[in-house]
Amino acid sequence: MKSFRLLPLLALAGATLSLSSCSKKEEVAAAPSAVSQDAMAQIKALGFSTQDVKKVDDGYVVEGDILLTPELLASAPGYSTLRVGQDEQYRTTNLVGSLPRVLTVSISSSFNSAYVTAIDEAIRRYNAASLRVTFRRITSGTADLPVKYSSNLGTGVLGQSGGFPSGGNPAPGFTLVPNVINSSNTNYIATIMAHEMGHCIGMRHTDYYNRAYSCGGSASNEGASTVGAILIPGTPSAAEPNSWMLACVGNGVNRPFTANDLTALNYIY
């Protein structure tokens, strides 16, 4: 399996998008720094896994592709989850406000045309769901969700969200690494983009309580939230094998929204 972070045994796995033809560099990941016990305690209190936490310039990366800023840790917002069945969709309490709302998206010129096509497909998937949040790509000006280019976010990492919504606004976009996947498969790239967009509007990993479901290996609970979980009425209790918000994705796999994904998105937005 590939993950939105690389599994060590997979030579081609990664959690971001990449194209071998890309040679431009905008960002280079710094060597990871030690994480303090106080930061670990804050991360745990917010309901996130304390396994493999990485200190980066903008805060802390948890669960492979989620950025927690110092402001978010200090705010102690009280994360909750929104459950579809026992092993399915989850969200945070931080959501995009002032609905209905159009969120603008831009993509760095360092990406080639395959990525432009893919972001348009990711936007199409969300807009086809008829939510109160819609997306529109822009080519000039400052976007709500900029898609940034990086040459390295860590071993095998495919992508990283800019966090979760804050103050009613989405997280400020996400970063992709076009030298990890080495693919021009539009639907695969769009799946990873839609996943990171999901974090930006408040979605957590579908397999929140057991990442082994999509990533394999031993069961790994990402951490209990502070205010419990809410079951969406009318959805099944069986595990969801194809959700776009599963923590790991197979190489070249396309994950358009499932019926349960759409139920979860429409319940929230």
Side-chain angles (χ1 to χ4, degrees), residues 80-95:
S80 67
T81 61
L82 181 59
R83 180 186 295 183
V84 180
Q86 187 174 359
D87 299 290
E88 300 176 22
Q89 287 83 349
Y90 297 87
R91 68 167 173 87
T92 71
T93 51
N94 284 21
L95 298 175

Side-chain angles (χ1 to χ4, degrees), residues 208-255:
Y208 171 94
Y209 279 129
N210 183 7
R211 290 185 71 188
Y213 181 71
S214 71
C215 300
S218 59
S220 175
N221 189 321
E222 290 181 353
S225 69
T226 56
V227 291
I230 305 168
L231 172 67
I232 297 179
T235 57
S237 59
E240 170 61 84
N242 298 308
S243 174
W244 97 109
M245 290 307 295
L246 287 171
C248 294
V249 63
N251 184 21
V253 170
N254 177 30
R255 286 185 182 150

Side-chain angles (χ1 to χ4, degrees), residues 35-220:
V35 180
S36 70
Q37 292 300 311
D38 286 345
M40 285 292 198
Q42 288 177 301
I43 291 167
K44 183 176 181 180
L46 288 178
F48 292 92
S49 173
T50 54
Q51 294 181 349
D52 300 323
V53 175
K54 294 182 180 179
K55 178 70 175 71
V56 296
D57 289 344
D58 296 329
Y60 302 90
V61 175
V62 301
E63 300 171 14
D65 67 334
I66 300 172
L67 175 68
L68 300 180
T69 63
E71 293 77 15
L72 185 59
L73 289 181
S75 68
Y79 282 96
S80 67
T81 61
L82 181 59
R83 180 186 295 183
V84 180
Q86 187 174 359
D87 299 290
E88 300 176 22
Q89 287 83 349
Y90 297 87
R91 68 167 173 87
T92 71
T93 51
N94 284 21
L95 298 175
V96 175
S98 301
L99 305 177
R101 186 170 176 181
V102 178
L103 300 179
T104 55
V105 181
S106 65
I107 185 165
S108 168
S109 60
S110 293
F111 295 105
N112 71 20
S113 60
Y115 284 86
V116 177
T117 302
I119 194 63
D120 287 342
E121 169 60 17
I123 289 171
R124 185 201 65 76
R125 293 181 185 189
Y126 278 99
N127 290 349
S130 300
L131 308 175
R132 290 177 294 161
V133 168
T134 56
F135 298 88
R136 177 171 59 86
R137 184 166 65 86
I138 60 174
T139 56
S140 62
T142 302
D144 297 307
L145 274 69
V147 183
K148 293 167 280 189
Y149 180 103
S150 175
S151 61
N152 181 21
L153 288 175
T155 303
V157 176
L158 291 172
Q160 177 182 300
S161 75
F164 289 117
S166 177
N169 294 314
F174 54 95
T175 303
L176 303 174
V177 186
N179 60 3
V180 177
I181 262 187
N182 200 20
S183 172
S184 58
N185 182 320
T186 296
N187 285 327
Y188 179 34
I189 298 173
T191 292
I192 298 173
M193 288 177 162
H195 178 100
E196 301 303 343
M197 291 166 72
H199 286 315
C200 291
I201 63 172
M203 298 298 297
R204 290 200 60 172
H205 290 139
T206 296
D207 44 351
Y208 171 94
Y209 279 129
N210 183 7
R211 290 185 71 188
Y213 181 71
S214 71
C215 300
S218 59
S220 175

